[in-house]
Amino acid sequence: MDLVQYKCPCCGAGLQFLPDTQKLSCQSCGNQYDLETIKEYEQEEQADAEQDLSWEYQNKKGAERSADGRYICPSCGAQVEADEHTVSTKCPYCDNVIVIKAAASGHLEPDVMIPFQVQGQEARQMLEGFCKGKRLLPKNFKDRSYLKNLTGYYVPYWLFDCKADADMSFRGTRVRAWSDSRYDYVETSHFMMNRGGTMEFYHVPVDGSIEMDDSTTESIEPFDYRGLTGFDPGYLAGYETDRYDVDAKAAEGRAKERLYNSAEQVLRSTVKGYQTVTVSKRRLSSHNGKVQYALLPVWLFETVYRDKKYQFAINGQTGKMVGELPVDKGAFWRYLFGFTAAGTVVCSILGILLFGGVL
């Protein structure tokens, strides 16, 4: 796998993609560049290099792999750990972001992606605001330095498109009750309703990462697909990226489940006037199906507290947040006992005021 790093043409420092300007920015000299400008610059540099083919370099920039399977950072020469799923990562020594070209090219290259819109500082402020006022959080979790573990990821997704013919049956009941001078009566009438129609599904997302919890990724939906653009490795600068480890075939099961649930929800909404409604038959046949490989932006915070993993996610495009926060059990019991003690004092005072003393 080749490593590539986007360098500033002016000072040679690493470039980082900024969501607010949609440009690559140099953190050293402050210059900013359009993606097309950097591409043209690199093409010119490559053309210059290709003019002299007789030279052979022992360390070809961005293509060296060490004997133990690690990769060499093209900026500082340090070894960088990267497995077969890694697309972009940070060098632990110089903190520059590098892109592993082989993991982001050929059949592994995403079809589309959505660049980050929510910046890192904004995401941290959102997470801090969410934690603010939560008295039962562990102390170290409230520490701002601890929240620096928030990381921007491009999560691999499969986007499923298709037209589908839906055919579903529902059982419904209507209940009528009345009484006379001797008895109470209840009459239950049963009905069968058939519903069908043709539906078109556009970009039903299924995450292609084993590490990501499906409930988490689905909870930060929806993404605004008007922001989809063609894949460009320049957008990866400054963010962690893994390629999929759940292929499209393996993701089909989850996609079908989501399609069935969506179709059922639409058709069931047309069944009205019944006390109870249950599904008796579901059939969905699709055609003109298409699957796209996409990278979608997510800010992710993960931590382990008392041997339990907690994951907090922010949609890197819309800012929608979801996650579970840990509870300090010691703080919970202190808070409960304090509240109980305060309640006892209040009741005692009320007793004295109302009854003139305590019996």
Side-chain angles (χ1 to χ4, degrees), residues 281-320:
K281 182 184 73 174
R282 298 199 315 174
R283 189 182 68 83
L284 200 67
S285 59
S286 63
H287 47 92
N288 297 331
K290 183 177 69 173
V291 183
Q292 288 184 300
Y293 174 31
L295 294 179
L296 303 183
V298 177
W299 286 101
L300 191 65
F301 176 79
E302 290 184 323
T303 185
V304 176
Y305 180 72
R306 295 187 181 275
D307 298 325
K308 181 179 178 181
K309 181 180 176 180
Y310 293 87
Q311 190 176 79
F312 192 94
I314 301 175
N315 187 312
Q317 181 195 33
T318 67
K320 184 178 179 180

Side-chain angles (χ1 to χ4, degrees), residues 175 181 201 249 303 321 328 343 357:
V175 179
S181 58
F201 295 93
K249 194 67 178 178
T303 185
M321 297 184 295
D328 186 338

